Amino acid sequence: MRALPELIPLYTIKVICCNCEHEFTTSRVRPSLKKAVRRDADFCSYYKDENPDYYVVRVCPSCGFASTENSADKLADWQRKSFRDQVGNRWVPRDFGDKRSWEIALETYKLALLCAQSIKDKDRIIASLLHHIAWMYRYQGDTGQEQRFLRHSLDMYIKVYENDGIAGNDARLMYLIGELNRRIGEFSNAVKWFSRLINDQKIMDAAMIRAAREQWALLREQMNGGEPEVDGLPSGT
């Protein structure tokens, strides 16, 4: 008996490679199955079945360029050359378009990071890739590697904040900087960022202000030696 389409967690989409313009297919998780069962305070989500985060990166099987839907539609000539020199020349053709294990998903994120760095992609994209890699290690309980990549992503998020100035999504960015500082044990820096977000009269994002207040309260418990629950934001937060 054939499975009903709505019961199959993955479907495929066609993508045009922004480097070599080769058309390829990659898998996505059906929107109806993307509801998280819980979410950590830095937005790392957990799912009952297939994890959509495993399928964020699209990898061209022809040239090996890995990107996300937020990446550029087309590369400049200097970017193509830089990718080819740093990454593409070592590419062994393979297809990442089917169902992904944790190991394969991690490989796609690290490849996307190398590609983004080679073409000098936006700092925000590189920060997000580093953050996602930290989540991948969190899923496996590898605290050492998770902390390593949280620190790298934090550095990039701070760079984004310093270089982009006041933008529409600054409240979320400030919150993330505070939360990642908390997670790596930089409590005084976390307090500074949460406080900045809560006390900035220009910020009207009530959800992020509320989240910052909650994490600041949690932080006070941690600094006083308590052992509170550190995660478990409702999936709708």
Side-chain angles (χ1 to χ4, degrees):
M1 180 183 293
R2 293 180 60 188
L4 294 174
E6 62 269 21
L7 299 181
I8 300 173
L10 300 179
Y11 68 100
T12 58
I13 60 170
K14 291 184 177 180
V15 179
I16 302 294
C17 177
C18 60
N19 175 58
C20 71
E21 300 183 2
H22 171 75
E23 183 179 81
F24 62 96
T25 59
T26 189
S27 293
R28 304 288 295 273
V29 174
R30 293 190 181 280
S32 61
L33 300 177
K34 284 186 175 182
K35 184 173 177 57
V37 295
R38 70 182 178 91
R39 181 175 295 160
D40 290 345
D42 66 340
F43 310 118
C44 176
S45 297
Y46 300 81
Y47 300 86
K48 181 178 178 181
D49 298 307
E50 201 73 49
N51 189 334
D53 282 344
Y54 284 19
Y55 301 90
V56 168
V57 177
R58 303 97 58 93
V59 183
C60 176
S62 179
C63 71
F65 191 83
S67 63
T68 72
E69 61 184 16
N70 296 318
S71 302
D73 293 331
K74 195 171 184 180
L75 301 187
D77 289 342
W78 70 266
Q79 290 175 311
R80 286 196 175 95
K81 182 180 185 306
S82 182
F83 161 73
R84 185 172 61 250
D85 292 345
Q86 297 182 49
V87 183
N89 286 338
R90 299 191 298 276
W91 171 249
V92 177
R94 62 180 294 205
D95 194 341
F96 288 90
D98 296 326
K99 181 179 173 65
R100 294 177 182 175
S101 64
W102 176 86
E103 291 84 2
I104 291 174
L106 178 63
E107 185 177 353
T108 66
Y109 274 113
K110 289 189 173 181
L111 180 58
L113 178 61
L114 289 174
C115 292
Q117 291 171 331
S118 73
I119 67 168
K120 295 181 171 22
D121 210 339
K122 295 177 182 176
D123 292 336
R124 193 179 290 268
I125 289 178
I126 293 175
S128 178
L129 289 169
L130 288 163
H131 197 180
H132 275 80
I133 292 172
W135 291 349
M136 293 298 294
Y137 282 115
R138 187 182 303 169
Y139 292 141
Q140 294 296 102
D142 189 337
T143 304
Q145 288 285 53
E146 177 197 345
Q147 289 281 305
R148 175 189 171 205
F149 280 95
L150 284 179
R151 287 181 179 275
H152 289 319
S153 63
L154 174 59
D155 289 342
M156 289 304 298
Y157 281 132
I158 292 173
K159 186 176 179 182
V160 171
Y161 183 84
E162 291 174 343
N163 293 340
D164 284 6
I166 299 301
N169 205 26
D170 263 353
R172 181 183 174 96
L173 180 59
M174 293 167 71
Y175 168 80
L176 266 179
I177 293 173
E179 176 60 15
L180 294 193
N181 269 300
R182 186 189 70 80
R183 284 179 172 269
I184 65 173
E186 297 289 345
F187 293 160
S188 60
N189 285 333
V191 168
K192 180 182 74 174
W193 283 96
F194 288 144
S195 176
R196 183 183 296 183
L197 170 55
I198 292 167
N199 294 315
D200 190 332
Q201 299 300 313
K202 297 189 298 296
I203 294 177
M204 307 299 291
D205 190 330
M208 287 296 94
I209 293 172
R210 182 174 66 252
R213 289 185 187 279
E214 291 171 355
Q215 294 311 98
W216 196 354
L218 173 62
L219 187 55
R220 283 197 296 268
E221 290 188 50
Q222 287 182 286
M223 295 173 74
N224 291 331
E227 294 292 337
E229 178 68 32
V230 297
D231 285 316
L233 288 180
S235 59
T237 300

